[in-house]
């Protein structure tokens, strides 16, 4: 009995499906070539010989030898659009790799936050003002701190706004990398007056959005209120006058065991009001050996003696006008 057309068609389709689904290695060369050509046509890809069917030969190129598959262009490496400051800071070599190096990225984030706040509140002009991060002194300070050196600043008697910005930004990067999570202050900024404490606090407050809490302690507020503020805030940075800080130490309202960076702003000013002994007492209350930064422009014998007691044997002398130099205490 003859088979119907449907049965014949089903049998042919079954054979085709077997060929398409079969392993190419088991097929004949001819069938495998047909299947491969069909797949290339669907993908829009053709062999070099197949291209001859669509290109007429010319007297200059009778065999279409000029048609060659274009070599894929080498992928261009995307240039990282990192800020020049970060690349410069990363290129700086730190002699002791065991020292805590302040992350350049974190430093730049802090400086940007301070810069934007300065422009917003009118401290500097957005068009004419020089960016805070464009500061040679700041780069040298960051490198010295990353190497674990103490710093003696001899430009003048007190710190400028730009210097404060670089100090607290570097400290924030070191704090984030080293002891974040500790409830005790990391940075202690000793200042001679209430006005200076408020000035430094006005710079540090712009880092609150980055998770850095700052508290200023000085006269003008009751001791009880400041004790309550320390308990509720748990500051990372502490800005204080020596008198009020010693009062807090006496009642055990502040713990200086985690202080890793001590800044004495205006050693010459402390000499005028006889605060040297108070500074020594505060230093004794700080356990461990913190990095120390001293702003001093006096060659007075008593001032120099106190300076030697605060600084470690190896320290760097830094100035707005000169290059950084290493000295021995």
């Amino acid at each position: 009995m003859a088979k119907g057309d449907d049965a014949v068609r089903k049998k042919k389709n079954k054979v085709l499906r077997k060929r398409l689904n079969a392993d190419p290695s088991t097929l004949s060369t001819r069938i495998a070539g047909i299947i491969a050509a069909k797949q290339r046509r669907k993908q829009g890809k053709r062999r070099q010989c197949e291209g001859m069917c669509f290109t007429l030969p010319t007297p200059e190129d009778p065999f279409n030898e000029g048609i060659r598959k274009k070599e894929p262009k080498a992928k261009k490496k995307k240039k990282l659009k990192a800020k020049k400051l970060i690349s410069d800071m990363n290129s700086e070599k730190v002699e002791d790799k065991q020292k805590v190096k302040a992350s350049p990225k974190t430093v730049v984030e802090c400086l940007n936050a301070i810069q934007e706040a300065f422009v917003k509140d009118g401290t500097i002009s957005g068009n004419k003002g020089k960016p805070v991060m464009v500061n040679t002194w700041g780069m040298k300070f960051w490198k010295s701190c990353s190497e674990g050196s103490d710093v003696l600043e001899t430009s003048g008697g007190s710190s400028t706004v730009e210097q404060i910005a670089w100090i607290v930004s570097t400290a924030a990067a070191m704090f984030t990398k080293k002891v974040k999570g500790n409830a005790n202050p990391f940075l202690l900024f000793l200042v001679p007056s209430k006005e200076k404490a408020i000035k430094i606090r006005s710079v540090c407050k712009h880092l609150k959005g980055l998770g850095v809490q700052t508290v200023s302690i000085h006269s003008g507020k009751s001791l009880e209120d400041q004790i309550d503020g320390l308990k509720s805030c748990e500051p990372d940075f502490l800005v204080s006058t020596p008198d009020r800080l010693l009062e807090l130490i006496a009642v055990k309202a502040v713990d200086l065991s985690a202080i890793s960076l001590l800044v004495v702003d205006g050693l010459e000013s402390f000499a005028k009001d006889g605060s040297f002994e108070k500074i020594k007492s505060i230093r004794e209350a700080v356990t461990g050996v913190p990095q120390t930064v001293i702003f001093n422009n006096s060659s007075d014998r008593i001032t120099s003696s106190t300076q030697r007691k605060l600084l470690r044997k190896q320290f760097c002398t830094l100035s707005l006008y000169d290059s950084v130099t290493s000295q021995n205490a």
Side-chain angles (χ1 to χ4, degrees), residues 119-131:
V119 173
K120 189 174 181 179
D121 61 21
T123 303
I124 60 174
S125 172
N127 297 326
K128 298 181 180 179
K130 186 177 180 181

Side-chain angles (χ1 to χ4, degrees), residues 49-288:
C49 60
E50 293 175 336
M52 293 179 64
C53 300
F54 303 95
T55 306
L56 295 175
T58 60
E60 294 78 11
D61 188 13
F63 301 103
N64 284 335
E65 293 179 348
I67 302 176
R68 293 289 182 269
K69 188 175 181 180
K70 294 183 179 179
E71 296 181 0
K73 294 182 179 179
K75 293 184 179 179
K76 295 182 179 179
K77 295 182 179 180
K78 295 183 179 179
K79 296 182 179 179
L80 298 177
K81 297 181 179 179
K83 291 185 177 295
K84 185 178 183 298
L85 178 61
I86 297 178
S87 61
D88 292 343
M89 295 171 80
N90 282 325
S91 64
E92 295 285 353
K93 294 182 179 179
V94 178
E95 295 178 359
D96 190 350
K97 294 183 179 179
Q98 295 181 350
K99 300 298 181 182
V100 178
K101 183 176 179 180
S103 168
K105 183 178 179 180
T106 307
V107 174
V108 171
E109 286 178 357
C110 295
L111 290 173
N112 275 331
I114 295 173
Q115 171 79 19
E116 291 173 2
F118 282 175
V119 173
K120 189 174 181 179
D121 61 21
T123 303
I124 60 174
S125 172
N127 297 326
K128 298 181 180 179
K130 186 177 180 181
V132 176
M133 65 179 63
V134 183
N135 190 294
T136 305
W137 184 94
M139 286 285 293
K140 293 175 181 177
F141 174 82
W142 169 84
K143 184 174 183 294
S144 299
C145 283
S146 296
E147 292 174 347
S149 300
D150 287 355
V151 176
L152 174 62
E153 218 296 328
T154 60
S155 301
S158 183
S159 59
T160 64
V161 173
E162 290 78 9
Q163 288 174 322
I164 295 170
W166 271 91
I167 290 173
V168 298
S169 297
T170 302
M174 295 168 65
F175 161 73
T176 302
K177 191 169 184 178
K178 189 176 182 181
V179 294
K180 193 167 185 179
N182 195 318
N184 298 321
F186 173 84
L187 166 67
L188 175 59
F189 218 121
L190 291 177
V191 293
S193 64
K194 170 185 175 181
E195 291 73 23
K196 186 66 177 181
I198 294 174
K199 181 179 180 180
I200 295 174
R201 171 73 177 82
S202 66
V203 177
C204 295
K205 69 179 182 181
H206 303 308
L207 301 180
K208 187 175 181 180
L210 299 175
V212 179
Q213 295 284 350
T214 305
V215 169
S216 60
I217 301 173
H218 48 75
S219 59
K221 292 185 178 181
S222 65
L223 186 63
E224 292 74 15
D225 290 343
Q226 292 185 341
I227 292 175
D228 293 338
L230 286 171
K231 290 180 179 179
S232 61
C233 180
E234 295 184 350
D236 306 312
F237 294 174
L238 189 61
V239 185
S240 177
T241 55
D243 293 331
R244 182 50 60 92
L245 184 58
L246 285 174
E247 292 178 11
L248 293 170
I249 294 174
V251 297
K252 297 182 179 180
V254 63
D255 186 358
L256 303 181
S257 60
I259 296 297
S260 296
L261 184 61
L262 172 64
V263 181
V264 181
D265 194 352
L267 194 62
E268 188 178 0
S269 300
F270 289 116
K272 294 179 181 178
D273 59 9
S275 298
F276 278 161
E277 294 301 323
K278 297 176 182 177
I279 293 176
K280 292 178 183 177
S281 300
I282 293 171
R283 176 61 187 85
E284 291 173 359
V286 177
T287 58

Side-chain angles (χ1 to χ4, degrees), residues 8-18:
V8 175
R9 192 179 301 107
K10 285 182 181 179
K11 187 175 181 179
K12 289 184 177 180
N13 290 340
K14 186 177 180 180
V15 173
L16 289 174
R17 283 196 301 271
K18 284 185 178 180

Side-chain angles (χ1 to χ4, degrees), residues 15-23 27 31 35 38-39:
V15 173
L16 289 174
R17 283 196 301 271
K18 284 185 178 180
R19 290 177 179 175
L20 291 174
N21 298 328
D23 185 1
L27 299 175
I31 299 300
I35 295 173
K38 184 176 181 180
Q39 291 176 348

